[in-house]
């Protein structure tokens, strides 16, 4: 068996290592879930490049349409992976969104942003914001994607993600609240944060990715309680999904409690899964607690506002 004898410059196990020749080895290999274009399938999917210069793309999911004239709500989903691994094409994220789309009968757009450390930490946020704006460019039915033009109801938009993606989704919702460019027809109804990352003390990965920041708790993107824009966050409801044994739980609970006390005028809801760790639902999505998490998310998305 061949072994890697290259000298390591930076070791960020379990995510990646950087060698002295500047090559990078990610410990979770890239995998692509196949797309589905079967018109009889419960969910179809396709990839769309939205920024040819950077390669930023989205994976769009469409449920089986029974009434071509019906408009359906929109989910904008941002995947996790510590800002440095994963893809909208990864099987765990693809399968999760496919299931969510089938259960809600919503259209979903999963964002494939550029990863760290090849790209700046800020790129994950900027790419996701660009994808958000690209989705909303279809509000009048004249955007570049036919599925969004034909079926998306932009008066019912939801944003969410898990882990690092939940953090990015939260930033998108805050940024949308202060944006002067959003069409008045767009209504962001809710934000869902699945096992989100909201900063931890002595975070070596963050400190490597942002060496001059002063730490994750000093970054308003990571610790939104210090962001003066928080009071204007666009959505009206936020769902926090936490796991009892998640190492990120403390930061999540701090944000949950702080958001309730903040000037933001919205409703906050929380569900905690006992006895489970970070993103447990991806490993066995048919397990009882994973099904309960999905059911809670579906209920949150489908409730009347």
């Amino acid at each position: 068996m061949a072994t890697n004898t290259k000298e390591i410059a930076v070791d960020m196990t379990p995510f990646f290592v950087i060698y002295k020749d500047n090559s990078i080895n990610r410990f979770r290999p890239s995998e692509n879930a196949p797309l589905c274009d079967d018109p009889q399938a419960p969910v179809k999917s396709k990839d769309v490049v939205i920024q040819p210069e950077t390669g930023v793309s989205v994976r769009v999911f469409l449920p089986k349409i029974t009434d071509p004239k019906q408009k359906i709500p929109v989910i904008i989903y941002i995947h996790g992976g510590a800002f440095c691994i994963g893809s909208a094409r990864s099987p765990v994220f693809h399968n999760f969104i496919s299931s969510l789309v089938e259960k809600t009968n919503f259209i979903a757009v999963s964002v494939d942003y550029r990863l760290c450390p090849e790209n700046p930490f800020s790129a994950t946020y900027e790419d996701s914001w660009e994808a958000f704006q690209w989705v909303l460019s279809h509000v009048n039915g004249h955007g570049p994607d036919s599925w969004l033009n034909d079926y998306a109801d932009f008066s019912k938009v939801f944003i969410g993600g898990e882990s690092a993606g939940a953090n990015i989704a939260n930033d998108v919702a805050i940024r949308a609240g202060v944006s002067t460019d959003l069409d008045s027809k767009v209504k962001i109804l809710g934000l869902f944060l699945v096992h989100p990352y909201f900063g931890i003390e002595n975070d070596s990965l963050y400190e490597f990715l942002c060496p001059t920041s002063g730490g994750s708790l000093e970054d308003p993107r990571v610790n939104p309680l210090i962001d003066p824009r928080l009071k204007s966050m666009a959505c009206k409801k936020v769902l926090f999904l936490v796991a009892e044994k998640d190492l990120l739980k403390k930061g999540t609970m701090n944000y949950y409690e702080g958001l309730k006390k903040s000037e933001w005028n919205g409703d906050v809801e929380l569900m905690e899964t006992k006895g489970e760790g970070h993103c447990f639902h991806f490993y066995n999505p048919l397990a009882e607690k994973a099904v309960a998490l999905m059911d809670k998310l579906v209920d949150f998305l489908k409730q009347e506002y």
Side-chain angles (χ1 to χ4, degrees):
M1 176 191 262
T3 59
N4 194 332
T5 59
K6 293 195 292 185
E7 191 172 356
I8 294 175
V10 178
D11 189 343
M12 285 294 157
T13 304
F15 304 112
F16 62 84
V17 295
I18 302 176
Y19 298 104
K20 289 195 172 180
D21 65 0
N22 291 322
S23 62
I24 298 174
N25 178 34
R26 285 184 168 83
F27 293 111
R28 300 182 191 181
S30 177
E31 297 180 81
N32 293 334
L35 295 167
C36 178
D37 61 359
D38 181 355
Q40 300 305 314
V43 178
K44 296 196 298 181
S45 54
K46 63 180 175 182
D47 289 330
V48 182
V49 176
I50 65 170
Q51 284 188 331
E53 302 84 3
T54 61
V56 174
S57 66
V58 294
R59 180 161 283 199
V60 189
F61 298 80
L62 183 71
K64 191 171 183 179
I65 301 297
T66 56
D67 180 0
K69 296 182 180 180
Q70 181 186 11
K71 297 288 187 176
I72 55 179
V74 182
I75 300 168
I76 300 173
Y77 185 83
I78 305 174
H79 74 82
F83 305 97
C84 59
I85 56 176
S87 163
R89 300 182 299 276
S90 298
V92 289
F93 305 131
H94 175 96
N95 294 339
F96 180 77
I97 297 302
S98 291
S99 180
L100 187 61
V101 166
E102 184 176 2
K103 291 175 182 297
T104 59
N105 200 48
F106 291 5
I107 190 170
V109 180
S110 184
V111 181
D112 202 31
Y113 51 85
R114 289 172 291 169
L115 299 176
C116 302
E118 299 96 324
N119 301 286
F121 185 69
S122 60
T124 63
Y125 295 93
E126 293 304 320
D127 292 350
S128 299
W129 177 251
E130 289 295 330
F132 172 75
Q133 291 183 303
W134 178 86
V135 173
L136 300 191
S137 73
H138 298 78
V139 65
N140 293 312
H142 302 299
D145 183 74
S146 60
W147 289 358
L148 290 168
N149 285 334
D150 294 343
Y151 304 116
D153 181 353
F154 289 98
S155 70
K156 298 176 182 176
V157 177
F158 297 87
I159 308 170
E162 103 293 331
S163 195
N167 173 273
I168 300 170
N170 187 82
D171 186 74
V172 169
I174 291 175
R175 194 166 175 175
V178 298
S179 173
T180 59
D181 298 329
L182 298 189
D183 192 288
S184 60
K185 301 185 191 70
V186 175
K187 304 296 180 186
I188 301 171
L189 299 185
L191 169 69
F192 60 93
L193 307 172
V194 185
H195 306 166
Y197 167 76
F198 285 114
I200 57 176
E201 295 178 355
N202 303 316
D203 185 340
S204 59
L205 177 61
Y206 174 87
E207 290 169 2
F208 171 73
L209 298 177
C210 301
T212 63
S213 68
S216 64
L217 299 182
E218 301 300 320
D219 185 338
R221 298 169 299 187
V222 176
N223 179 14
L225 292 177
I226 65 173
D227 191 336
R229 305 173 302 169
L230 179 61
K231 62 185 178 183
S232 302
M233 185 161 64
C235 60
K236 300 301 181 184
K237 289 195 174 185
V238 179
L239 172 65
F240 289 80
L241 295 173
V242 302
E244 181 185 22
K245 296 183 178 181
D246 188 355
L247 296 177
L248 302 183
K249 179 185 173 184
K250 180 180 178 181
T252 302
M253 296 306 298
N254 286 343
Y255 182 43
Y256 167 72
E257 295 295 344
L259 186 60
K260 288 195 296 183
K261 300 172 185 176
S262 74
E263 296 181 72
W264 172 70
N265 186 26
D267 297 323
V268 183
E269 189 175 354
L270 181 139
M271 171 183 163
E272 180 178 355
T273 304
K274 298 294 185 180
E276 297 292 347
H278 189 65
C279 292
F280 71 90
H281 55 291
F282 287 144
Y283 304 111
N284 185 3
L286 298 180
E288 181 180 357
K289 292 178 181 178
V291 172
L293 182 150
M294 175 64 82
D295 288 345
K296 179 65 176 178
L297 178 53
V298 170
D299 287 346
F300 173 77
L301 294 170
K302 296 195 74 171
Q303 64 186 287
E304 295 294 330
Y305 284 81

